[in-house]
Amino acid sequence: MGRTLVFAALGLMIASGPALAAELVIPVSAIDASGVGAIIGSLKVKDGKGGMMVTPRLAGLTPGPHGFHIHENPSCQPKEQDGKPVPGLSAGGHYDPAKAGKHEGPWGHGHLGDLPALAVNGDGTATDPVVVPKLKVADLKGRAVVIHAGADNYADQPKPLGGGGGRVACGVVPAK
């Protein structure tokens, strides 16, 4: 009888293990120079064996690859730069806790804010999950997730921060 209870408890722990993994849903809104607009979908983030899994459920984006990053501040509001409001600039720079100061992509030795490219289908939807090998859900708390207008080459040349262009969508991750 004792062994049966132990095996039953072990089975319950194994079966419930994945359900205990950290998971979070982040609403994502369109952004422009006037502020935060309509919600365009969400990102489900979950800790996994190979890193953090990000599953987008987004619509209304331009087709093609988009730069996709974790930014240091929990804000999607515009901020003035050179006398003009810049969409999402209050989110700050890319998340870089080690102060690497380099942009080398999610697999390189640069800052941790780089996520794999967001693939947007011809109909403007993004649903393909990506794995971020160096981050956990807890790393996102109190930050923002930003989607850029164009692709990211994960280098600082020929343009700084991968050349992804302006910020077009953003989601705030609560600190709690």
Side-chain angles (χ1 to χ4, degrees), residues 58-144:
L58 302 168
L61 295 166
T62 58
H66 288 261
F68 192 31
H69 306 99
I70 305 302
H71 284 251
E72 49 194 13
N73 303 321
S75 176
C76 294
Q77 294 298 321
K79 186 176 178 183
E80 225 174 85
Q81 183 177 49
D82 300 326
K84 296 178 185 174
V86 177
L89 193 59
S90 291
H94 294 176
Y95 176 54
D96 189 8
K99 309 287 185 230
K102 295 187 283 183
H103 184 70
E104 294 183 356
W107 305 275
H109 298 290
H111 59 73
L112 295 180
D114 284 339
L115 302 178
L118 180 68
V120 179
N121 301 314
D123 65 357
T125 62
T127 58
D128 294 340
V130 296
V131 175
V132 186
K134 296 180 182 180
L135 291 177
K136 295 186 181 310
V137 171
D139 297 322
L140 304 185
K141 305 241 171 150
R143 310 223 177 276

Side-chain angles (χ1 to χ4, degrees), residues 1 14 16-17 23 37 43 53 76 78 88 99 106 115 128 135 157 160 172:
M1 183 79 166
I14 291 168
S16 66
E23 187 174 307
L43 303 169
M53 172 79 71
C76 294
K99 309 287 185 230
L115 302 178
D128 294 340
L135 291 177
Q157 297 297 326
V172 171

Side-chain angles (χ1 to χ4, degrees), residues 32-52:
D32 61 24
S34 64
V36 178
I39 292 176
I40 62 167
S42 65
L43 303 169
K44 181 171 89 174
V45 292
K46 181 178 180 179
D47 288 339
K49 196 172 188 178
M52 183 179 72

